[in-house]
Amino acid sequence: MTDNKPLVTHIFTADPSAHVFNGKLYVYPSHDIKTDIEDNDNGDQYAMTDYHVLSMEEVGGPVTDHGVALALEDILWAGKQLWAPDAATKNGEYYLYYPARNKEGVFQIGVAISDVPEGPFKPEPTPIEGSFSIDPASFVDEDGEAYLYFGGIWGGQLQCWTSGKFDKDAYSQMEAQSGYALFPKVAKLSKDMLSFDDPVQDVVILDKEGQPLAAADHDRRFFEAAWMHKYNGKYYFSYSTGDTHFLCYAVGDNPLGPFTYGGRILDPVLGWTTHHSVVEFKGKWYLFYHDASLSGGKNHLRSVKVTEIFYNREGEIQLTRP
Ligand code: FUB
């Protein structure tokens, strides 16, 4: 069953990363909170300070909020803004990947560990070496190899890393003005899931003619909200186009890409941001997403929702209209 009601209404939740662990559906969302900070392109209004994990036995059934799974005050390196997280399991442990600004205001990605999917998670004392920007999405392939996708432009600071080092003067540029769009990033995770094994690579998204998407192509280029899922042996990389508010996907034969643009998954929702995950549960495919309807349209007070999605015979995801 799917409908357009928020999964929970006692807290605001966003950026849902859904996974099936031990036959149960777990959702790892951001926990939106009220703030007096005015909306700005920096994203200062997204001032989140902890994470809650949600779980359910059935889509459409009761949802359990497992309480605080990780709090900002317990993360030694983080200064503020616990943004979109994701979780993975391997080696009998559960790993929560999350972005935060460090004490100097630069976004990096941390990892925290638990022996149960709902947490609480114990954070590593330092961020993942070589990590930067926001919106980590983990993916453990059938062969056991694990990957972390990440990146977000504008407030997510991806545009500051084109030289491989943080360049604060590049911040106000927001993104490339001509040529190819900035690519999201991917790194292979180490066997213990706590560090990057290989150097960070670009996630290349091509158009149907085999050309990388252009910076000016705001209806299709990557902005933030990376997600990876596998369907019929193909790798589906999906993401938000940010300022044009679409959720799109691109398909490839390899988890490291390249990926060819496939189309839209979700039209714009109420609220500036759009962010999602795609998961198979009990033989059906679901899109978890958020909108700001419960708060009457406040961009930083969002709620997670779920809807069933469908593929056609060619493996194309059919567009959902919220
Ligand atoms: O929740 C804060 C930020 O808003 C996320 O990191 C982005 O993906 C957007 O949803």
Side-chain angles (χ1 to χ4, degrees):
M1 185 227 127
T2 54
D3 59 34
N4 63 358
K5 292 200 199 97
L7 283 193
V8 293
T9 54
H10 65 293
I11 54 172
F12 289 106
T13 54
D15 310 323
S17 294
H19 291 277
V20 179
F21 295 136
N22 311 320
K24 214 164 151 179
L25 193 48
Y26 288 86
V27 182
Y28 299 83
S30 298
H31 175 200
D32 283 355
I33 51 171
K34 293 185 177 160
T35 170
D36 293 334
I37 302 169
E38 296 275 321
D39 278 18
N40 59 37
D41 288 340
N42 212 21
D44 293 330
Q45 66 276 21
Y46 302 100
M48 298 84 107
T49 56
D50 65 20
Y51 294 111
H52 286 222
V53 178
L54 309 176
S55 73
M56 65 207 83
E57 301 279 352
E58 304 289 338
V59 172
V63 176
T64 303
D65 173 358
H66 295 275
V68 176
L70 179 65
L72 183 61
E73 66 208 26
D74 297 324
I75 307 170
L76 290 177
W77 63 270
K80 59 180 181 177
Q81 291 179 301
L82 292 184
W83 284 11
D86 191 17
T89 185
K90 203 174 159 181
N91 316 319
E93 303 271 17
Y94 294 84
Y95 303 90
L96 185 74
Y97 298 95
Y98 60 92
R101 283 185 194 261
N102 65 21
K103 308 263 172 155
E104 284 75 52
V106 177
F107 272 111
Q108 286 195 272
I109 296 168
V111 55
I113 309 166
S114 175
D115 50 11
V116 287
E118 66 270 25
F121 291 85
K122 189 169 182 292
E124 290 286 284
T126 52
I128 297 177
E129 204 183 323
S131 72
F132 53 91
S133 196
I134 60 165
D135 291 2
S138 51
F139 173 70
V140 183
D141 206 351
E142 284 152 303
D143 62 3
E145 294 289 351
Y147 304 84
L148 199 70
Y149 301 84
F150 58 93
I153 59 175
W154 296 21
Q157 302 175 340
L158 188 61
Q159 69 276 15
C160 299
W161 291 92
T162 51
S163 69
K165 284 198 182 130
F166 185 74
D167 172 9
K168 96 172 151 18
D169 297 332
Y171 179 73
S172 53
Q173 212 180 298
M174 308 300 241
E175 62 181 307
Q177 303 301 307
S178 60
Y180 297 139
L182 282 176
F183 293 122
K185 305 293 172 196
V186 60
K188 228 174 188 181
L189 285 163
S190 55
K191 293 222 170 342
D192 66 5
M193 300 289 274
L194 303 180
S195 60
F196 293 160
D197 242 2
D198 294 332
V200 170
Q201 299 182 34
D202 285 340
V203 175
V204 176
I205 306 170
L206 305 171
D207 62 20
K208 295 250 153 70
E209 286 70 50
Q211 288 300 308
L213 294 183
D217 191 351
H218 284 212
D219 280 355
R220 297 193 299 174
R221 64 95 171 82
F222 172 85
F223 189 100
E224 62 186 2
W227 185 256
M228 171 58 63
H229 75 275
K230 205 170 176 180
Y231 175 77
N232 273 351
K234 297 269 188 201
Y235 297 88
Y236 285 64
F237 179 79
S238 49
Y239 57 94
S240 158
T241 62
D243 59 345
T244 49
H245 317 287
F246 299 114
L247 288 179
C248 295
Y249 73 98
V251 184
D253 294 318
N254 185 303
L256 295 172
F259 300 93
T260 301
Y261 180 83
R264 288 180 193 162
I265 306 176
L266 185 70
D267 271 346
V269 294
L270 180 66
W272 200 93
T273 67
T274 186
H275 191 128
H276 69 298
S277 58
V278 175
V279 68
E280 185 181 20
F281 186 51
K282 300 189 177 177
K284 291 184 173 182
W285 284 89
Y286 295 99
L287 176 75
F288 282 80
Y289 65 102
H290 69 224
D291 71 17
S293 55
L294 184 66
S295 68
K298 289 205 171 57
N299 287 330
H300 66 285
L301 294 178
R302 303 159 292 178
S303 301
V304 170
K305 298 182 168 182
V306 59
T307 189
E308 191 176 351
I309 56 165
F310 302 91
Y311 301 81
N312 68 13
R313 274 198 215 135
E314 286 72 46
E316 294 166 340
I317 301 177
Q318 304 300 283
L319 175 68
T320 295
R321 294 199 165 84

